[in-house]
Amino acid sequence: QQFITSTYKYYKVILNNVVHQSSGNQTEMRMLTGTNTQYQSNNYYGVGNGYYAQYAGGSGSSHDQFSTLGVNYFRFTPGFNPGDDWGSMYIMDLYVEQGKNPIMVANSTAPRHGNQYFYQGTSAMTINDTSTTFTGLLMFPSSGTNITNANILIYGIKQ
């Protein structure tokens, strides 16, 4: 989705009710350039942490963390992933200005009804590139399946 313009430097992106075709996939993202061209250089740097708990049928819980350094995508959550039955939510604050590295912080929640787990995570990302003009974001699952639903709100914020 293209939405980044020179009018705004700050964006609030809310992805709600994100449902994957099959469970077991991470939700990942790439920046777009030009006319929906994916930025696939290995300049993405991200870190995140989270916690999950089994709310029924067991007592499993754990903290988790990740780092994706010098890869061609950004991921939102640690080892956990959304299911194919309940929608996940991602709330991102994004700063994009020509001549500066884009930077983003995100909060996410990914309930999995079938496995009776509830996940929450935070993450941060930057792209080590000050010369590319970024125009939008592309969200996709980590494997070859599809995202079957997503409600998206994007706000440009003026200073």
Side-chain angles (χ1 to χ4, degrees), residues 15-20 27 82-83 86-90 139 147 149-150:
L15 308 167
N16 193 23
N17 200 26
V18 177
V19 179
H20 286 230
T27 302
W86 283 6
S88 300
M89 182 176 204
Y90 308 95
M139 184 179 64
I147 293 175
N149 189 75

Side-chain angles (χ1 to χ4, degrees), residues 10-115:
Y10 302 95
Y11 297 88
K12 173 73 78 175
V13 181
I14 301 170
L15 308 167
N16 193 23
N17 200 26
V18 177
V19 179
H20 286 230
Q21 185 176 10
S22 61
S23 62
N25 291 294
Q26 298 290 330
T27 302
E28 297 177 348
M29 181 200 77
R30 286 193 181 114
M31 298 292 286
L32 297 175
T33 64
T35 55
N36 291 329
T37 303
Q38 294 182 46
Y39 180 80
Q40 296 189 53
S41 296
N42 291 331
N43 293 329
Y44 291 81
Y45 294 83
V47 294
N49 62 58
Y51 182 80
Y52 73 87
Q54 191 170 11
Y55 61 84
S59 60
S61 65
S62 180
H63 286 91
D64 202 354
Q65 61 205 12
F66 74 91
S67 63
T68 51
L69 307 175
V71 296
N72 68 357
Y73 64 92
F74 174 70
R75 77 186 236 205
F76 292 99
T77 58
F80 44 83
N81 47 64
D84 57 0
D85 48 3
W86 283 6
S88 300
M89 182 176 204
Y90 308 95
I91 301 172
M92 300 173 278
D93 290 309
L94 175 65
Y95 172 80
V96 184
E97 181 178 6
Q98 183 61 36
K100 297 186 177 177
N101 294 333
I103 192 164
M104 180 181 72
V105 294
N107 288 302
S108 58
T109 180
R112 290 183 65 186
H113 178 254
N115 293 334

